[in-house]
């Protein structure tokens, strides 16, 4: 059964936060399921989110909800197991809208994921993401 893999034991890091205001725009807002909060990156050529899971996972889908006008035209999902180097799992191509977008992921097992967003629709390279969900199964 597919379900959200981000849990309280998942450690997350992001490339930047707008004006370093983590209280209002921090990474915790990616996973809080609140429609009123978001992660807002600072400007830059690319942005990323790293997730370190407490156990091995099998990813099947990635779901992202951007704010239209502050999205990415191209993304890349990478993964690794243990202390191994990250390797590309899949490229994905979001649309510039406010909808929750679902991207299928070829069967991949990892305990660390990196989602990189490139070619932002905002002139300054800022992203606004309301929801980031990693769906799949936990390894037993």
């Amino acid at each position: 059964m597919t379900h959200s893999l981000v849990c309280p034991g998942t450690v997350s890091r992001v490339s930047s936060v707008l004006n370093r205001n983590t209280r209002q725009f921090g990474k915790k807002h990616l996973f809080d399921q609140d429609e009123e909060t978001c992660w807002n990156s600072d400007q830059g050529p690319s942005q990323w989110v790293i997730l370190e899971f407490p156990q091995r996972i099998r990813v099947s889908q990635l779901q992202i909800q951007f704010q239209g006008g502050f999205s990415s035209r191209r993304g890349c999902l990478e993964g690794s197991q243990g202390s191994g180097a990250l390797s590309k799992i899949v490229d994905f191509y979001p649309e510039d809208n406010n909808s929750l977008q679902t991207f299928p992921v070829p069967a991949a097992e990892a305990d660390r994921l990196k989602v990189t967003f490139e070619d932002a629709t905002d002139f300054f390279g800022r992203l606004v993401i309301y929801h980031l969900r990693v769906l799949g199964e936990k390894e037993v």
Side-chain angles (χ1 to χ4, degrees), residues 20 22 25 29 61 63 66-67 93 132 138:
R20 295 189 176 149
T22 58
F25 301 119
H29 299 304
Q61 291 181 355
Q63 291 184 331
F66 294 97
Q67 176 179 317
Y93 300 92
L132 175 63
K138 295 178 183 176

Side-chain angles (χ1 to χ4, degrees), residues 66-72 96-98 120-123 126-128:
F66 294 97
Q67 176 179 317
F70 294 90
S71 64
S72 166
D96 185 18
N97 62 39
N98 299 327
T121 58
D122 173 59
F123 178 77
R126 297 169 296 189
L127 292 179
V128 177

Side-chain angles (χ1 to χ4, degrees), residues 3-13 31 49-63 77-83 86 89 105 108-115 132-139:
H3 59 278
S4 178
L5 298 170
V6 176
C7 65
T10 304
V11 176
S12 61
R13 291 186 289 146
F31 315 109
V49 177
I50 293 178
L51 300 169
E52 296 176 359
F53 297 90
Q55 76 279 335
R56 181 99 8 112
I57 59 164
R58 184 178 297 127
V59 184
S60 62
Q61 291 181 355
L62 189 63
Q63 291 184 331
L77 177 64
E78 299 172 282
S80 69
Q81 296 180 10
S83 59
L86 289 165
I89 298 171
V105 175
E109 293 184 8
D111 48 31
R112 184 168 57 127
L113 295 175
K114 181 177 183 181
V115 186
L132 175 63
R133 297 182 185 130
V134 178
L135 303 176
E137 299 175 8
K138 295 178 183 176
E139 293 292 302

